[in-house]
Amino acid sequence: MRIELKDENQEEPQKIDENDIRYKHESDLTKKEKRELEKMKLSSMGLGGKLQYIWAYYKPQMAAVVAVIAIAFFAKDLYQNSKIHTALTVMVIDSYGMKQEEAEEKVQEALGIQDDPYEVVTVDESLRTGEDGVALESYSQMAFTTKVAAKAVDVLIGSEQYMDGFEFKDEYFMDLTELLPEDVYQAFGEQEDKYSITITSDQLASDLEVAYEPIKIGILANSENVENAVKWLTKLAERGNV
């Protein structure tokens, strides 16, 4: 008779529990079991392994989440920007432009919109004339023509030499004798022409950062913010900036 001796050091084969989700085929797992299996895998990994696993298996989902967040922020910005209105754009020729923000704040105060985040005032101080002070430099002239054509300028401010250099003023500027209330127009004193207001004011020159006096102001014929342009000129007259 043959007797087989059992090796005490030999390990018995591990019994597999058929109900253990770790040994089930993925297609046989329920959604709940799949979630449990994911938790088990992640719990057995270190931080680096977890990050690699999540990146490897969840890139599409993560990309979708990032895309949704980006779209949400874009939609919010788009909505906020759609509520913004340009109340007035003032173009100042030959300004040395070191206090543009302060100049814009003063115009906002004059219009009474300093506390309204959706009403914007722009003081454009980027254009320069040539040495004669009459005509704009070539780049400035192109910029000016483009902005005027796009109705992006409401008020134009310049020196006498520059403003008087417009050959067809009636094509560029509004008739201020008809546009301004009579008392406001008269408050500025006798004017040389009806297409601009001439002002001598050290305070205004300082606010606009220009070295020339007097200052001439005209309202563009295609301005889309005529009411605010008139309101600003009215405030200048009331404050004695004449």
Side-chain angles (χ1 to χ4, degrees):
M1 177 182 295
R2 184 177 177 184
I3 299 175
E4 294 183 359
L5 298 176
K6 181 179 180 182
D7 187 351
E8 295 180 354
N9 296 324
Q10 183 178 357
E11 294 182 1
E12 294 184 4
Q14 186 177 1
K15 294 181 179 180
I16 298 176
D17 184 356
E18 295 180 355
N19 294 320
D20 192 329
I21 60 175
R22 291 176 297 175
Y23 302 112
K24 284 186 177 182
H25 193 276
E26 186 175 353
S27 60
D28 296 330
L29 295 173
T30 63
K31 291 183 178 180
K32 182 178 179 180
E33 288 175 334
K34 288 180 179 179
R35 289 195 296 269
E36 289 296 324
L37 184 59
E38 292 294 316
K39 290 180 181 178
M40 293 171 64
K41 288 179 180 178
L42 288 171
S43 64
S44 64
M45 298 177 184
L47 178 60
K50 288 179 180 178
L51 293 175
Q52 289 181 356
Y53 181 83
I54 291 171
W55 178 247
Y57 289 93
Y58 293 98
K59 275 190 287 188
Q61 294 91 328
M62 292 171 69
V65 170
V66 171
V68 169
I69 293 173
I71 291 172
F73 276 103
F74 175 76
K76 180 182 177 182
D77 288 343
L78 192 64
Y79 173 71
Q80 293 293 339
N81 289 335
S82 69
K83 294 165 64 177
I84 294 175
H85 170 253
T86 298
L88 195 67
T89 298
V90 179
M91 179 175 285
V92 185
I93 305 299
D94 287 333
S95 169
Y96 41 92
M98 301 296 290
K99 300 184 295 183
Q100 180 179 351
E101 187 174 344
E102 291 181 26
E104 291 172 345
E105 288 175 356
K106 289 188 177 182
V107 176
Q108 287 178 317
E109 289 174 8
L111 298 178
I113 57 172
Q114 65 270 29
D115 297 323
D116 190 337
Y118 300 112
E119 291 290 330
V120 177
V121 166
T122 300
V123 176
D124 188 334
E125 302 171 332
S126 62
L127 304 188
R128 302 285 181 271
T129 59
E131 292 182 2
D132 59 5
V134 175
L136 291 172
E137 296 174 343
S138 57
Y139 175 80
S140 291
Q141 183 60 53
M142 287 190 293
F144 173 75
T145 302
T146 301
K147 291 179 180 182
V148 171
K151 299 181 179 180
V153 182
D154 300 303
V155 176
L156 182 65
I157 298 175
S159 65
E160 278 189 307
Q161 295 95 317
Y162 174 70
M163 296 294 283
D164 290 343
F166 282 85
E167 187 174 356
F168 303 104
K169 291 184 179 181
D170 58 328
E171 294 182 6
Y172 277 94
F173 302 106
M174 292 186 174
D175 183 341
L176 297 181
T177 61
E178 296 180 357
L179 184 64
L180 296 178
E182 185 177 354
D183 60 326
V184 173
Y185 187 79
Q186 290 179 351
F188 289 108
E190 187 175 348
Q191 299 296 314
E192 296 178 3
D193 70 77
K194 59 185 180 180
Y195 297 106
S196 64
I197 292 293
T198 300
I199 297 176
T200 300
S201 168
D202 291 339
Q203 182 60 55
L204 185 60
S206 176
D207 291 344
L208 300 175
E209 298 182 278
V210 296
Y212 50 79
E213 278 195 84
I215 296 166
K216 299 199 78 168
I217 303 173
I219 298 177
L220 273 295
N222 64 349
S223 167
E224 295 188 331
N225 297 294
V226 176
E227 184 177 343
N228 283 333
V230 170
K231 189 174 182 179
W232 181 62
L233 281 175
T234 301
K235 286 295 180 181
L236 288 182
E238 290 176 356
R239 293 177 181 179
N241 287 315
V242 294

